[in-house]
Every structure is written in C-alpha cells, then in structure tokens.
Amino acid sequence: MSEGVEVRGGAVRVYFRYDGRLCREPYPGPATDDNISHARSLVKVIRHEIKTGTFIYGRHFPHSRQLAENTFGHYLDLWLQLKAQKVAPSTMHGYRGRAENHIRPRWGSTQVDQVDHIDLDVWLQSLPLQNKTLREVLSIMRQVFRLYRRRTPGALDPTEGIELHLPDQDDPDPFTRTEIDAILSQDTDRPADLRMIEYMMWDGPRFSEAIALSWDDVDLEAGTITYRRSFVRNRYRVTKTRRSKRTHQLLAPALRALKAQHQATGHLPPREIEVLERDNRTLRPQKVRFVWLKSSGQPLANDDYLRRFFKAHLEQAGVRYRGPGQCRHTFASQMLSSGIVPVPWLVDHLGHTTTEMLYRRYAKWIREDAPDITSMVNRALRLE
C-alpha cells in the first residue's frame, strides 16, 4: 500500500492523489509478481509526472471512468442542472443555448484540467458573436470552473486573467420631444396600438410588463398603476425582482391613453393564466383582463405585432425608425432632461435595483431636450 499498489481478490490496483483527490485505477492482468512490480513502477512515473505538471490522465488510463466524470462537458451538465433549480425558464433557455451552440462543441469532451488558458483566450476572441453573447459565454465558463474547483480546490482556473476587449454597448436611441409630438399626432387606423405607444413613452415599462398588464393593475380614478407580472418566452411570471413590483402615479399622457383604451378592452371578460412565482417552480392561476390586445382580440406574446405597426407609422410621421423598445429609453431621457426629476425617483419608477444602470445608460442627455441649466441655477439662486 505504501508504494501506491494494492492487491484484492487476485487483482491489482494502483492509487495516487491527483488534484486533491485520491484516484484508484485497475492494473491489467492478474496479481503476479511481475504485474505488481510493473504497477509499482507505473505509480512512480505517475507521481513524477504529477510533480512536474506533465501528467495526462487519459494517456495512462484511456478507459477510466474518471475521464468521463472529469470532462468539461460533465461539469457543464452539473452546472446546468444546478442552475435549473435557481433561475427562471427564460434565463435557463439562454444558458442552454450558449452551452449547446458554442461551449460544448469545442470543450465538452476536453478534460477539465486540460483546458489551456491561451487556447481558451484565443477561442473566445475568435468567436463571431455579439458582445452580450460573448460575455455570457465567458461568464458560463467561469462559473463551471468555479464549480469544478469546489470539488478540486487546488485546480487552476484558466478563465482568470481573460479580458474581452469589446466595443462599448450601443447608447439608447430615444425619441426627442419633437419626434414624440410627430408620432402621437400622426393619424392612424390602429388607434389602440398608438395608445399603447403613448402609454409606454410616458410611463416607461419594460415591454414584457406592458403586454402582461391587467385592468386590475390600473386604478383610473386614483391615476395609479401596479406592475405585478411580465410575459417572457411564452410564460407569465412575477416581476423580475421584488424591486420590479412597483406602484406609482401615472403622468397625464399615460393616464389619458389608458382611459381611452379602457373603452376598448375594459369591458372584456377575464382570462385564466398561470403565473410562475419567483422560486421558478410554483405556478399560480390568475384571472386577468388584459389591457393591450391584438386587433384579433388575442394577447400579445412579443413585440412583433406592435413593431410592424410602429415601423409603418414612423414612416408616415417622417420619423427615423427605432423599435418599440426605445419607448422605455424615451421615458427615461425625457425625465432626466426635464431637470427636475431626481435619479432615485426614476430608479424606483423604472424598477431598477440600483442607480448604476441608470447612470451608465442615460448619462447622455438629448441635447435638443436638455434644459438651460445655467438659467435655472441663476433663477434658483437669484444670481441675475
């Protein structure tokens, strides 16, 4: 045993410690003196290779069960299994897509301790992916190696030191006040869709929140709205974070749009839906009366329906095309450019968890709409 060889039932096994764990592997043949001697010699070679950093498990034991359980793909599967219990199905869908389309084809069969830092860096820099996707791929690989190191504390993490030099994220491209006026004053044969645009421009919901809005979430008398749920990847769910569940007063244009829309859909009977709770397992039935519907009377599932209307409408209004998602950016930019809205108020209104995203995304004001700050300060401090 002291020499790394054991004999049991006429069979020989070698054992050694590698990456912090005790490994046992069968030596071929019966427990003859020659085989035992050869096994001892093999152990000496393995220990020397481990000490010098040249040990490759598969070279000595190509059929070992340890190899299958030591592949990057094995730990990727473990990570996906653990994540499935913690994140929303829509998030999990994204993780699986990154894992199966990009990571597994290249690294799935590679021994996890043989993933080379330079090879990984070169591979990442060569992927023809958008910035967001590339960051997600690297993030998943880092988390898989973190999981591996929980089982093998002394193992190296080849993602350490890798930095992605990517272009800055595109700035929001909101509509200016002049463009807003042109959009909302343009005649249309789809008034309900234009009302939805007006409401989103002047209340700033996520699109997934807007299409899940029920009349039970709106108090037209008090002029308030509550965001309780969203619709993402064909599933209704409670809001993304507890901070995202919020109630606030509506600005006048948003309230007017909702009052007009109530005449169109406020009388319709409720529909029963299932809403996924924040534990990502529990489904609760709810009866809702959707505020925004297609002309066919069916609920919206994504922005495709509204996008087609909006593209044609912007062309008629003489406004450069941007998608419906810019309505949220438009609300944020209008509030900031007013010069009177405090950042904490806007953070709460939009349902962000911190001010960081707000400063990062909306620090640049639209010059056309920015107030004359100097004049405002002069008047406030009576400097004129």
Side-chain angles (χ1 to χ4, degrees):
M1 290 286 291
S2 63
E3 296 175 330
V5 176
E6 60 184 5
V7 179
R8 289 189 176 183
V12 181
R13 286 199 308 182
V14 299
Y15 66 95
F16 50 93
R17 189 163 292 279
Y18 178 58
D19 270 350
R21 67 183 188 275
L22 185 64
C23 303
R24 288 186 170 90
E25 295 291 347
Y27 188 85
T32 63
D33 290 343
D34 282 347
N35 281 342
I36 293 173
S37 177
H38 292 156
R40 288 170 179 158
S41 298
L42 175 61
V43 170
K44 290 180 182 178
V45 171
I46 290 172
R47 288 176 174 171
H48 174 74
E49 290 179 350
I50 292 174
K51 185 176 180 180
T52 59
T54 59
F55 176 65
I56 298 176
Y57 212 108
R59 182 169 59 199
H60 296 289
F61 308 106
H63 305 296
S64 171
R65 179 181 175 184
Q66 292 273 5
L67 290 180
E69 295 182 352
N70 198 56
T71 61
F72 187 88
H74 172 74
Y75 282 94
L76 180 61
D77 288 334
L78 286 178
W79 182 82
L80 289 169
Q81 181 181 344
L82 292 171
K83 276 293 181 181
Q85 308 301 317
K86 301 175 182 177
V87 302
S90 56
T91 303
M92 200 63 218
H93 182 274
Y95 286 155
R96 292 194 186 280
R98 308 296 181 248
E100 304 305 331
N101 295 330
H102 307 298
I103 299 174
R104 195 184 301 277
R106 173 60 180 86
W107 302 105
S109 60
T110 304
Q111 294 295 292
V112 67
D113 54 339
Q114 297 298 312
V115 178
D116 179 73
H117 170 87
I118 295 177
D119 290 344
L120 179 58
D121 199 356
V122 170
W123 174 73
L124 284 166
Q125 303 295 345
S126 68
L127 290 176
L129 301 176
Q130 293 183 353
N131 299 344
K132 181 175 181 291
T133 305
L134 196 55
R135 289 190 183 96
E136 290 171 352
V137 168
L138 178 56
S139 175
I140 290 173
M141 296 199 71
R142 279 186 170 141
Q143 292 180 66
V144 172
F145 279 111
R146 194 176 301 139
L147 178 65
Y148 168 64
R149 294 178 73 183
R150 284 165 56 186
R151 180 168 287 174
T152 313
L156 297 176
D157 179 357
T159 66
E160 287 185 359
I162 291 181
E163 296 181 3
L164 297 177
H165 300 287
L166 302 172
D168 292 338
Q169 188 176 16
D170 291 339
D171 289 334
D173 191 8
F175 298 98
T176 66
R177 187 60 182 272
T178 300
E179 289 175 320
I180 294 171
D181 293 341
I183 293 167
L184 299 182
S185 62
Q186 175 64 42
D187 291 336
T188 178
D189 58 357
R190 291 171 60 172
D193 298 327
L194 187 57
R195 287 194 292 267
M196 186 175 187
I197 292 295
E198 182 175 19
Y199 144 74
M200 291 195 301
M201 282 183 170
W202 289 112
D203 200 54
R206 300 175 178 92
F207 190 80
S208 60
E209 296 171 331
I211 62 177
L213 187 67
S214 169
W215 282 117
D216 300 312
D217 306 323
V218 182
D219 187 333
L220 295 177
E221 292 289 332
T224 61
I225 191 169
T226 300
Y227 291 105
R228 295 187 173 93
R229 73 191 71 79
S230 61
F231 186 74
V232 182
R233 293 193 182 276
N234 297 316
R235 186 184 292 276
Y236 293 99
R237 57 169 294 118
V238 296
T239 51
K240 188 176 181 180
T241 65
R242 285 183 172 83
R243 188 74 176 268
S244 293
K245 181 180 178 181
R246 60 206 188 275
T247 300
H248 56 246
Q249 292 288 137
L250 289 157
L251 295 179
L255 182 57
R256 284 198 302 269
L258 286 168
K259 284 182 176 179
Q261 182 64 9
H262 190 266
Q263 299 178 17
T265 60
H267 64 283
L268 297 178
R271 305 166 186 254
E272 186 164 302
I273 61 172
E274 288 188 328
V275 180
L276 184 68
E277 292 291 329
R278 203 162 279 112
D279 63 3
N280 297 309
R281 291 188 293 273
T282 305
L283 287 168
R284 298 194 188 279
Q286 288 187 12
K287 289 187 175 181
V288 298
R289 297 179 298 128
F290 287 118
V291 174
W292 307 107
L293 298 169
K294 297 179 180 179
S295 56
S296 64
Q298 295 302 307
L300 284 80
N302 51 51
D303 68 354
D304 290 346
Y305 173 82
L306 191 63
R307 185 181 291 273
R308 288 192 291 271
F309 156 76
F310 201 39
K311 186 172 184 178
H313 187 80
L314 290 182
E315 185 176 352
Q316 292 173 348
V319 175
R320 178 173 58 85
Y321 176 71
R322 283 91 97 194
Q326 293 297 331
C327 291
R328 181 169 166 87
H329 298 319
T330 297
F331 175 81
S333 68
Q334 287 296 307
M335 295 305 100
L336 290 172
S337 64
S338 72
I340 60 174
V341 172
V343 168
W345 180 91
L346 188 55
V347 169
D348 288 339
H349 191 103
L350 294 173
H352 291 317
T353 54
T354 68
T355 60
E356 179 185 355
M357 181 180 292
L358 201 70
Y359 281 120
R360 186 174 68 245
R361 300 225 70 187
Y362 302 116
K364 178 182 177 181
W365 289 0
I366 301 175
R367 183 169 299 176
E368 178 181 337
D369 293 333
D372 184 352
I373 299 298
T374 302
S375 297
M376 292 172 64
V377 172
N378 280 330
R379 288 194 298 271
L381 300 180
R382 301 177 181 176
L383 300 177
E384 296 179 324

